[in-house]
């Protein structure tokens, strides 16, 4: 059994059983990958993948178990490399972050600017996607950190730490009837208008649906997007009333829009950062976490890493006041 073989089966699974795409991503040949997988299956005496002709059709029951352990082994190997790098080149390496557009556009720029200035020899890569996609990327080991609001709880093998709370606001053009509304906005009033907001599963969208459901109402959602800037564009076109994260409103570029506080209508959402259990965190990784969430000091992160269950991790932050944006 070779590490190369374990890497091949993991990557084939990551590429939806497409051996050709796997070979391209690993800069090797398709026949070479197929041969190594066959050799591993022969050695183990089981099939990891079922086949339909020359193509892999699905992962076997035993294959799922083998791939899961292979992912853990490869993660440990990467941790060994990280340990070595920490002692040979402590301020040189790479950091892969998966996050949503809202975090990348509004929450992370100053953090990343300061981080790159402090660690010019660290190669930082940002990947954007849906919350479920970025959580999966960390679970599979293709990213070091995931930063998001939704879906992080779906993966048991991740350590998830709260960073900050945030809420929503309503945005309308200056000439919209709600722009002159002086009393606190009610959910019933908001329900009268077509809404432009986030796609389900993105940026705390679930709290909007919960708020309407709690009032016995159904929101008139006419357009959704993953990008707050796109939402603002369609609000300007008069398509509907926008509901977005308050932090996504720019006081300079959005002067043509009226912002209406709606934090009293929705429960706040919590942005979290997560990483795989058992990962070796380089010093610059600890620094990045603390730059993004100052209460997540190295000592606090280490305490969370030592805990065995998500409940224990949650209890660590139960009495801690998180910043709200």
């Amino acid at each position: 059994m070779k590490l190369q073989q374990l890497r091949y089966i993991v990557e084939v699974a990551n590429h939806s059983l497409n051996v050709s795409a796997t070979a391209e991503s690993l800069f090797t040949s398709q026949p070479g990958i197929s041969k190594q997988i066959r050799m591993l299956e022969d050695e183990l005496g089981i099939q990891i993948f079922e086949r339909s002709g020359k193509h892999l059709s699905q992962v076997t029951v035993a294959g799922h178990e083998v791939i899961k352990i292979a992912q853990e082994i490869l993660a440990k190997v990467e941790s060994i490399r990280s340990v070595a790098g920490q002692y040979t080149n402590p301020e040189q390496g790479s950091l892969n972050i998966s996050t949503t557009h809202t975090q990348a556009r509004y929450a992370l720029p100053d953090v990343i600017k300061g981080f790159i200035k402090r660690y010019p020899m660290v190669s930082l890569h940002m990947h954007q996607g849906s919350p479920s996609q970025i959580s999966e990327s960390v679970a599979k080991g293709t990213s070091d950190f995931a930063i998001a609001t939704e879906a992080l709880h779906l993966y048991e093998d991740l350590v998830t730490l709260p960073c900050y709370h945030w809420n929503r606001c309503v945005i309308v053009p200056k000439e919209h009837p709600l722009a002159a509304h002086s009393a606190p906005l009610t959910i019933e009033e908001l329900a009268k208008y077509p809404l432009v907001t986030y796609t389900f599963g993105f940026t705390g969208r679930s709290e909007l649906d919960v708020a309407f459901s709690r009032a016995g109402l159904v929101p008139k959602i006419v357009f959704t997007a993953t990008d707050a800037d796109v939402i603002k564009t369609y609000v300007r076109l008069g398509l509907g009333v926008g509901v977005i994260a308050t932090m996504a409103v720019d006081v300079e570029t959005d002067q043509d829009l009226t912002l209406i506080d709606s934090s009293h209508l929705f429960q706040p959402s919590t942005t979290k950062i997560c990483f795989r259990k058992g990962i070796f965190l380089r010093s610059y990784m600890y620094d990045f976490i603390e730059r993004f969430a100052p209460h997540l000091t190295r000592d606090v992160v280490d305490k969370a890493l030592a805990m065995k269950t998500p409940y224990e991790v949650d209890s660590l932050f139960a009495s801690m006041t998180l910043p709200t944006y």
Side-chain angles (χ1 to χ4, degrees):
M1 189 183 305
K2 302 174 183 177
L3 284 176
Q4 181 190 56
Q5 294 171 331
L6 301 183
R7 181 166 286 108
Y8 284 169
I9 63 171
V10 168
E11 288 303 314
V12 166
N14 288 345
H15 285 83
S16 302
L17 309 189
N18 188 324
V19 180
S20 178
T22 303
E24 186 176 344
S25 71
L26 296 176
F27 303 101
T28 188
S29 69
Q30 182 176 338
I33 290 178
S34 298
K35 178 182 178 180
Q36 289 298 323
I37 291 175
R38 281 289 194 187
M39 289 174 63
L40 178 60
E41 289 178 323
D42 289 343
E43 179 182 346
L44 296 176
I46 61 170
Q47 273 196 313
I48 297 172
F49 302 103
E50 291 185 4
R51 292 162 174 81
S52 177
K54 294 183 179 180
H55 301 285
L56 304 182
S57 58
Q58 65 181 32
V59 182
T60 65
V61 174
H64 280 292
E65 296 297 324
V66 171
I67 291 171
K68 181 180 179 181
I69 295 172
Q71 290 173 327
E72 294 170 358
I73 291 171
L74 293 173
K76 291 295 184 184
V77 170
E78 192 57 40
S79 290
I80 291 173
R81 290 196 179 100
S82 294
V83 171
Q86 178 64 31
Y87 288 95
T88 56
N89 297 290
E91 297 192 357
Q92 182 176 339
S94 65
L95 179 59
N96 286 273
I97 300 167
S98 289
T99 191
T100 61
H101 170 269
T102 298
Q103 302 298 327
R105 170 70 175 81
Y106 298 103
L108 284 167
D110 288 342
V111 175
I112 288 176
K113 180 181 179 181
F115 180 85
I116 291 176
K117 183 177 181 180
R118 172 63 182 82
Y119 301 98
M121 299 300 291
V122 173
S123 178
L124 196 153
H125 308 276
M126 183 182 292
H127 314 277
Q128 293 183 50
S130 69
S132 58
Q133 287 172 335
I134 67 178
S135 301
E136 186 177 8
S137 72
V138 172
K140 289 181 176 179
T142 54
S143 292
D144 300 303
F145 296 150
I147 299 173
T149 299
E150 308 270 8
L152 299 183
H153 64 284
L154 300 177
Y155 296 85
E156 295 180 356
D157 293 334
L158 301 181
V159 178
T160 304
L161 309 177
C163 299
Y164 63 87
H165 301 308
W166 61 271
N167 215 313
R168 298 142 193 79
C169 66
V170 166
I171 53 171
V172 294
K174 296 290 186 182
E175 65 275 10
H176 193 278
L178 285 179
H181 194 80
S182 57
L185 185 65
T186 67
I187 199 77
E188 288 77 15
E189 289 170 320
L190 187 59
K192 296 176 183 177
Y193 297 93
L195 302 183
V196 181
T197 189
Y198 297 108
T199 302
F200 186 81
F202 274 79
T203 318
R205 161 64 191 278
S206 58
E207 293 299 338
L208 181 146
D209 296 313
V210 168
F212 274 90
S213 177
R214 192 165 47 235
L217 300 169
V218 177
K220 302 174 184 177
I221 297 175
V222 295
F223 180 83
T224 65
T226 62
D227 183 332
D229 292 329
V230 172
I231 293 171
K232 286 185 278 188
T233 295
Y234 285 89
V235 169
R236 291 185 173 100
L237 291 174
L239 198 65
V241 171
V243 181
I244 62 174
T246 303
M247 63 181 169
V249 177
D250 189 306
V251 293
E252 294 184 4
T253 61
D254 296 329
Q255 292 184 21
D256 58 327
L257 298 175
T258 295
L259 182 153
I260 303 170
D261 178 47
S262 60
S263 59
H264 58 289
L265 301 180
F266 309 105
Q267 289 295 316
S269 295
T270 303
T271 290
K272 299 180 180 181
I273 187 168
C274 75
F275 45 86
R276 297 185 313 279
K277 291 179 181 177
I279 186 176
F280 178 81
L281 294 173
R282 300 278 299 271
S283 293
Y284 61 76
M285 292 179 172
Y286 280 106
D287 190 24
F288 179 89
I289 294 172
E290 189 169 354
R291 285 171 182 267
F292 184 61
H295 61 282
L296 295 179
T297 62
R298 183 168 188 152
D299 180 58
V300 170
V301 172
D302 284 342
K303 286 180 180 178
L305 281 169
M307 294 176 172
K308 296 180 180 180
T309 67
Y311 176 80
E312 289 180 305
V313 175
D314 290 342
S315 67
L316 179 64
F317 298 97
S319 60
M320 190 176 294
T321 301
L322 300 182
T324 300
Y325 300 110

